[in-house]
């Protein structure tokens, strides 16, 4: 079991920045991949950033060059720095952990076994 608690999020104007954090706990946390997913109203939840247990990062094309995923193993914290935000980035954002989360070919993928945070809202106005 992995427990995930998110913080951050909020409202910002287009072009602005926000930072999300996710604190993880549980016996399997250190061996799992972690990532960020988001879900806009009426759309499926989609992954867009991932980081392996060894620190390898990958991104979906939709955020590459604008968002940065990182983790601090000493603090059990996953972070997401979001710059150049666009109205299309408006969604509920979720931290996730699982045996496999990665991005390739412009898209992100995950294992069936997945643990989710409670979600935090990000709203970008034009």
């Amino acid at each position: 079991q992995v427990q995930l608690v998110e913080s951050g999020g909020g409202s910002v104007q287009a072009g602005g920045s926000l930072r999300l954090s996710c604190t993880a706990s549980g016996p399997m946390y250190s061996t799992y991949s972690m990532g960020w997913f988001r879900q806009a109203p009426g759309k499926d939840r989609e992954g867009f950033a991932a980081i392996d247990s060894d620190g390898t990062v990958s991104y979906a094309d939709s955020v590459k060059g604008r968002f940065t995923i990182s983790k601090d193993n000493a603090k059990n914290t996953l972070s997401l720095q979001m710059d150049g935000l666009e109205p299309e980035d408006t969604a509920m954002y979720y931290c996730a952990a699982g045996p496999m989360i990665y991005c390739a070919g412009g898209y992100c993928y995950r294992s069936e076994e997945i643990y989710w945070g409670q979600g935090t809202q990000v709203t970008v106005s034009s």
Side-chain angles (χ1 to χ4, degrees):
Q1 283 281 357
V2 177
Q3 293 80 43
L4 304 168
V5 179
E6 297 151 358
S7 60
S11 297
V12 66
Q13 289 191 327
S17 299
L18 283 173
R19 186 175 182 86
L20 306 182
S21 295
C22 173
T23 301
S25 61
M28 300 301 296
Y29 158 70
S30 62
T31 65
Y32 276 10
S33 297
M34 298 194 73
W36 290 96
F37 291 68
R38 63 187 181 185
Q39 186 168 18
K43 295 188 177 182
D44 292 335
R45 190 173 299 186
E46 62 173 8
F48 60 87
I51 186 166
D52 283 347
S53 57
D54 64 0
T56 301
V57 302
S58 56
Y59 299 93
D61 285 349
S62 58
V63 306
K64 193 175 294 183
R66 300 188 298 124
F67 293 7
T68 303
I69 188 172
S70 62
K71 65 177 182 176
D72 184 334
N73 289 329
K75 297 181 179 179
N76 288 353
T77 300
L78 178 74
S79 298
L80 181 71
Q81 177 66 38
M82 303 185 290
D83 299 316
L85 283 161
E86 304 168 350
E88 293 73 22
D89 295 316
T90 295
M92 185 71 77
Y93 282 64
Y94 298 90
C95 169
M100 183 188 72
I101 304 173
Y102 72 97
C103 306
Y107 299 93
C108 298
Y109 306 88
R110 64 168 179 87
S111 52
E112 187 170 328
E113 178 186 353
I114 196 80
Y115 299 92
W116 299 105
Q118 80 281 7
T120 185
Q121 180 67 36
V122 171
T123 302
V124 185
S125 58
S126 57

